[in-house]
């Protein structure tokens, strides 16, 4: 049986901080598992994120013929399929992970196999028409057998042709799905993004010798035909996950006389808009770059010194680079002086849960003046955090962690319910809070 508790009590604390490293980046770990999984030979991956989501990707790659194991000291080794992707015996369980189902669908679409993919209740509620459209234009057939264009998905793959595709939503998952499918297609795909989104797939492909060309909002990739690319196994290193680090940054940013340093964090500029938001709010942010990892990702140390924050407005082109941190911008809004506005963020409604409704309802139950907008939220601060009831994660890891961070600024202990979901992205989160001075039981 799992020892993960169902709920925690988070107590207010005066001081919080220290020096810490967070687990590996989730987006990058998924992509390495997939590309090392189709490579020839052995890859070793340092700092792979061993969270439920990424383990689901590893398991799915195993069902397609890759092999992986973790050594006693935690290093992951992947033996790739070397181009021979098998038809799995049963349905691929992607758990809670949108990245697993959407990116892997791209690889599967280019194989002459039929595969069913599904996941938990949350994943079965998320839009999948956004990958069916481009993959069918390339020549695959996708049946969305869930209600309202959702999983379970049945993919009938085959020989694909490249496409010119304008992404209707700014989504790195959809972009990456098309890029992975293009690896197995004939011709040159051109993708046009409405706004720049995280480019981990492009960087990793380039590191592996695949010529992905980015020109402004356009990305071009020439396929290798149905046999796919020749990639050799190698070493990879995963930076610390900026999105995990962001919870610890927010736990300090509004707290006087507190300081946190998070080491070896990914600093990909398409992920770090939250640093700009913190700076706009008046936070004291220092970044010490280190190097670029094997995998083409910048990495460095981030230090935040806490103080008084002022409200921020976020929207437009920064939203895709801030998307997973928006629950924390809502927390910032609750603690800062003035009215915080989040707009152009309707994508939040189709994340693991509807994070607009989820955050606003929970904020209200903690005494915060918060209001839902169709595409965002308005939060008036600073609030006195007074819990009226337990807060509910609704099964969403980022909602659970954001609320725990806010609870540490409160006036009384807060019960955070349904916290097993935190394991999907940040195993060790509660222990890290304790290590930095949090009081969590
Ligand atoms: C991800 C992209 C984003 C992000 C998600 C991970 C990825 O989703 O919210 O947590 O790994 O590509 P969208 O691409 O759907 O915006």
């Amino acid at each position: 049986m799992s020892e993960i508790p169902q709920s925690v009590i988070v107590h207010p604390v005066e001081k919080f901080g220290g020096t810490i490293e967070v687990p590996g980046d989730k987006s990058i770990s998924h992509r390495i598992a997939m590309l090392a999984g189709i490579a020839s030979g052995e890859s070793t991956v340092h700092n792979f994120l061993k969270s439920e989501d990424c383990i689901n990707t590893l398991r799915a790659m195993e069902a397609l013929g890759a092999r992986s194991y973790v050594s006693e000291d935690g290093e992951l080794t992947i033996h790739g399929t070397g181009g021979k992707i098998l038809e799995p015996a049963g349905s691929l369980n992607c758990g809670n992970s949108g990245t697993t189902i959407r990116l892997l669908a791209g690889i599967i679409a280019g194989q002459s196999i039929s595969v069913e993919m599904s996941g938990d209740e949350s994943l079965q509620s998320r839009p999948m028409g956004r990958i069916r459209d481009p993959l069918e234009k390339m020549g695959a057939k996708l049946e969305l057998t869930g209600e309202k264009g959702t999983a379970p998905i049945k993919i009938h793959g085959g020989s694909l042709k490249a496409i010119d595709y304008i992404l209707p939503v700014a989504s790195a998952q959809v972009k990456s799905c098309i890029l992975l499918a293009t690896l197995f297609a004939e011709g040159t795909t051109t993708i046009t993004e409405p706004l720049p989104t995280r480019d981990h797939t492009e960087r990793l492909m380039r590191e592996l010798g695949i010529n992905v060309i980015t020109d402004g909002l356009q990305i071009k990739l020439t396929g290798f035909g149905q046999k796919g690319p020749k990639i050799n196994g190698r070493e990879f290193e995963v930076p610390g996950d900026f999105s995990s680090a962001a919870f610890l940054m927010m736990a300090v940013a509004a707290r006087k006389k507190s300081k946190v340093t998070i080491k070896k964090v990914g600093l990909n500029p398409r992920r770090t808009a939250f640093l700009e938001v913190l700076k706009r709010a008046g936070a004291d942010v220092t970044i010490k770059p280190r190097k670029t990892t094997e995998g083409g990702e910048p990495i460095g140390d981030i230090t935040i010194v806490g103080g008084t924050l002022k409200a921020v407005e976020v929207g437009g082109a920064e939203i895709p680079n801030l998307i997973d941190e928006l629950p924390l911008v809502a927390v910032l809004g609750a603690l800062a002086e003035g009215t915080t506005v989040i707009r152009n963020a309707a994508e939040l409604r189709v994340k693991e849960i509807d994070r607009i409704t989820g955050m606003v309802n929970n904020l209200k139950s903690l005494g915060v003046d918060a209001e839902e907008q169709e595409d965002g939220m308005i939060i008036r601060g600073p609030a006195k955090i007074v819990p009226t009831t337990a807060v509910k994660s609704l099964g969403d890891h980022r909602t659970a962690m954001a609320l725990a961070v806010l609870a540490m600024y409160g006036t009384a202990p807060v019960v955070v319910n349904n916290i097993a979901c935190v394991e999907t992205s940040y195993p060790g989160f509660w222990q890290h809070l304790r290590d930095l001075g949090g009081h969590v039981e």
Side-chain angles (χ1 to χ4, degrees):
M1 274 303 284
S2 159
E3 286 169 25
I4 301 158
Q6 286 310 303
S7 58
V8 284
I9 305 169
V10 180
H11 293 259
V13 285
E14 278 278 302
K15 262 196 93 174
F16 185 84
T19 299
I20 201 153
E21 281 180 35
V22 292
D25 186 277
K26 183 153 83 78
S27 292
I28 297 171
S29 295
H30 281 298
R31 286 154 170 84
I32 291 174
M34 291 181 202
L35 285 165
I38 60 167
S40 300
E42 194 173 285
S43 293
T44 40
V45 193
H46 310 291
N47 204 30
F48 184 86
L49 175 63
K50 290 170 213 90
S51 74
E52 281 173 10
D53 274 10
C54 298
I55 287 169
N56 280 324
T57 293
L58 284 178
R59 296 270 172 277
M61 290 309 297
E62 287 179 359
L64 295 168
R67 290 283 160 266
S68 51
Y69 61 88
V70 177
S71 68
E72 265 173 28
D73 57 1
E75 292 272 286
L76 172 69
T77 303
I78 298 175
H79 290 272
T81 61
K84 289 184 263 344
I85 294 175
L86 309 175
E87 184 165 281
S91 174
L92 295 185
N93 178 10
C94 303
N96 190 244
S97 174
T99 308
T100 307
I101 198 165
R102 294 194 177 113
L103 270 62
L104 214 48
I107 294 180
I108 290 168
Q111 320 300 320
S112 296
I113 54 178
S114 289
V115 180
E116 187 183 88
M117 307 178 85
S118 195
D120 67 11
E121 203 183 318
S122 154
L123 195 61
Q124 287 189 36
S125 73
R126 298 181 64 187
M128 293 297 151
R130 54 180 64 188
I131 57 164
R132 178 175 61 182
D133 184 48
L135 292 178
E136 291 208 328
K137 285 196 166 80
M138 294 179 84
K141 170 105 192 75
L142 271 77
E143 294 173 61
L144 305 179
T145 67
E147 289 163 28
K148 298 188 289 179
T150 51
I153 310 178
K154 280 191 190 140
I155 306 183
H156 309 283
S159 58
L160 301 181
K161 57 182 191 313
I163 48 169
D164 281 354
Y165 197 71
I166 298 175
L167 284 178
V169 278
S171 165
Q173 291 181 350
V174 179
K175 171 178 66 174
S176 301
C177 167
I178 302 169
L179 289 173
L180 288 164
T182 299
L183 290 180
F184 299 92
E186 300 285 351
T188 301
T189 284
T190 305
I191 304 169
T192 307
E193 301 193 87
L195 293 170
T197 66
R198 65 187 69 187
D199 59 355
H200 303 305
T201 308
E202 296 92 304
R203 284 173 185 256
L204 190 57
M205 284 185 176
R206 274 184 212 117
E207 273 290 307
L208 295 170
I210 298 167
N211 190 21
V212 187
I213 299 162
T214 303
D215 180 10
L217 293 171
Q218 272 197 351
I219 304 116
K220 275 189 197 295
L221 171 63
T222 300
F224 298 83
Q226 209 179 2
K227 64 179 189 334
K230 270 251 141 294
I231 304 171
N232 291 322
R234 50 169 278 167
E235 274 192 43
F236 296 94
E237 182 189 350
V238 183
D241 195 319
F242 180 86
S243 297
S244 296
F247 294 104
L248 307 179
M249 296 181 216
M250 193 59 236
V252 162
R255 198 184 299 278
K256 289 192 188 107
K257 296 198 202 113
S258 287
K259 175 176 165 181
V260 70
T261 297
I262 306 140
K263 295 193 138 180
K264 298 192 197 163
V265 189
L267 291 176
N268 182 320
R270 297 210 182 169
R271 289 287 298 281
T272 51
F274 187 60
L275 293 177
E276 302 312 312
V277 172
L278 283 177
K279 286 184 203 162
R280 289 212 298 274
D284 179 342
V285 178
T286 310
I287 299 156
K288 196 173 120 216
R290 277 175 182 255
K291 58 164 187 174
T292 300
T293 61
E294 307 273 336
E297 294 284 346
I299 178 168
D301 302 342
I302 300 171
T303 299
I304 309 286
V305 181
T308 305
L309 300 183
K310 55 182 187 295
V312 288
E313 296 203 3
V314 302
E318 69 187 340
I319 292 296
N321 302 335
L322 186 61
I323 189 76
D324 292 340
E325 285 64 70
L326 289 172
L328 283 174
V329 177
V331 169
L332 187 157
L335 298 168
E337 187 81 49
T339 302
T340 287
V341 182
I342 301 173
R343 51 171 75 92
N344 311 128
E347 273 294 298
L348 282 181
R349 296 209 181 266
V350 291
K351 292 294 172 193
E352 285 81 333
I353 59 163
D354 177 338
R355 286 187 178 147
I356 295 179
T357 304
M359 279 307 293
V360 167
N361 288 346
N362 276 305
L363 288 175
K364 284 181 179 162
S365 75
L366 292 177
V368 180
D369 179 352
E371 202 184 298
E372 260 191 63
Q373 302 288 291
E374 199 47 44
D375 67 344
M377 327 172 203
I378 298 177
I379 299 122
R380 293 175 192 88
K384 187 166 190 224
I385 310 301
V386 188
T388 52
T389 163
V391 295
K392 301 171 189 73
S393 77
L394 307 165
D396 176 38
H397 54 135
R398 300 202 196 280
T399 300
M401 291 186 275
L403 292 166
V405 165
L406 183 58
M408 290 196 300
Y409 286 100
T411 53
V414 174
V415 177
V416 185
N417 273 336
N418 194 359
I419 56 155
C421 51
V422 169
E423 299 302 303
T424 62
S425 71
Y426 193 166
F429 172 71
W430 305 109
Q431 188 52 46
H432 278 184
L433 290 190
R434 290 186 196 104
D435 293 347
L436 294 172
H439 180 187
V440 181
E441 22 166 2

